[in-house]
């Protein structure tokens, strides 16, 4: 099976994120970090400690990235909501123009902006799957623990990388839809005034 066959399409992931606004629904993630962790059992202690430190940094960066993405999604949600107010406020003038092209452009703008708004909302509230090291489980290991901890970090960072990549993709699609909605609405407005 090729990588292309394993990955869901971008549109499918976006729509599943929008459906993920329904409570209890899980959202998919792209499997972009496909490299399997290497064998570290023969590594010296100093190298294992270095791997653990790098794993911690990577998990911290993933958390930071997800918070930045969430902030951008919240801004996009607010912007899209304002744009939808403008779009729906103009429906009377679009209908009064008696132009099928203006109405189609208006409808496309409203639909696209609504989808973008829902995508931004989904990125804001969707469950973020990130890896973490469970200290309770770690406390049950026999010393020295660096070998098990290094292996755990090597496995764990993949989860967060996939989640970050998917959230970025869904947010990018939402931005595109809101921009397309604004452009379609501007087209509808131009058709009515010309």
């Amino acid at each position: 099976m090729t990588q292309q066959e394993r990955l869901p399409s971008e549109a499918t992931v976006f729509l599943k994120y929008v459906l993920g606004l329904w409570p209890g629904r899980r959202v998919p993630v792209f499997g972009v970090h496909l490299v399997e962790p290497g064998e570290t059992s023969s590594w010296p202690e100093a190298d294992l400690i270095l791997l653990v430190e790098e794993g911690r940094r990577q998990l911290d960066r993933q958390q930071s990235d997800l918070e930045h993405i969430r902030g951008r999604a919240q801004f996009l949600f607010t912007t899209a909501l304002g744009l939808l107010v403008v779009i729906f406020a103009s429906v009377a003038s679009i209908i009064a123009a008696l132009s099928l092209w203006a109405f189609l452009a208006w409808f496309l703008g409203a639909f696209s902006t609504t989808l973008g708004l829902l995508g931004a909302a989904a990125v804001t509230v969707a469950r973020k799957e990130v890896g973490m090291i469970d200290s309770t489980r770690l406390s049950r290991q026999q010393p020295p623990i660096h070998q098990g901890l290094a292996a755990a970090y090597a496995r764990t960072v993949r989860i967060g990388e996939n989640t970050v990549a998917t959230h970025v993709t869904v947010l990018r699609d939402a931005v595109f839809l809101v921009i397309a909605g604004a452009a379609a609405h501007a087209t509808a407005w131009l058709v009515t005034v010309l």
Side-chain angles (χ1 to χ4, degrees):
M1 186 181 325
T2 67
Q3 181 180 353
Q4 194 70 319
E5 293 169 335
R6 284 183 290 193
L7 293 178
S9 74
E10 202 168 309
T12 300
V13 170
F14 183 86
L15 292 175
K16 285 185 177 182
Y17 258 69
V18 169
L19 293 174
L21 286 169
W22 189 260
R25 296 215 36 168
R26 292 186 60 117
V27 292
V29 294
F30 287 117
V32 295
H33 196 286
L34 302 176
V35 177
E36 291 290 330
E39 177 58 45
T40 60
S41 60
S42 62
W43 285 27
E45 189 78 9
D47 291 342
L48 292 173
I49 291 170
L50 181 63
L51 179 59
V52 168
E53 290 172 2
E54 289 302 317
R56 283 186 188 137
R57 279 192 206 104
Q58 196 167 2
L59 290 182
D60 288 345
R61 182 199 41 84
Q62 290 170 0
Q63 288 289 347
S64 176
D65 287 351
L66 286 171
E67 282 307 308
H68 284 102
I69 293 166
R70 178 181 288 166
R72 289 185 210 123
Q74 290 169 340
F75 179 77
L76 178 64
F77 178 85
T78 305
T79 303
L81 193 58
L83 179 59
L84 273 176
V85 168
V86 170
I87 289 172
F88 282 107
S90 68
V91 70
S93 63
I94 299 293
I95 292 172
L98 297 175
S99 168
L100 177 63
W101 294 112
F103 180 76
L104 287 175
W106 176 88
F107 179 79
L108 181 62
F111 181 75
S112 180
T113 304
T114 301
L115 265 181
L117 175 113
L118 292 173
V123 169
T124 301
V125 301
R127 182 170 183 245
K128 277 102 173 115
E129 291 189 32
V130 292
M132 60 189 297
I133 302 300
D134 188 343
S135 298
T136 304
R137 286 187 178 178
L138 185 61
S139 71
R140 295 180 169 270
Q141 289 191 1
Q142 296 299 315
I145 63 168
H146 284 114
Q147 181 62 47
L149 187 57
Y153 271 112
R155 287 188 309 271
T156 302
V157 296
R158 296 173 67 195
I159 299 165
E161 290 299 325
N162 291 337
T163 301
V164 168
T166 304
H167 277 68
V168 166
T169 301
V170 173
L171 179 61
R172 183 192 66 218
D173 293 345
V175 167
F176 173 78
L177 287 167
V178 170
I179 291 172
H185 178 67
T187 302
W189 180 77
L190 285 173
V191 168
T192 59
V193 297
L194 295 179

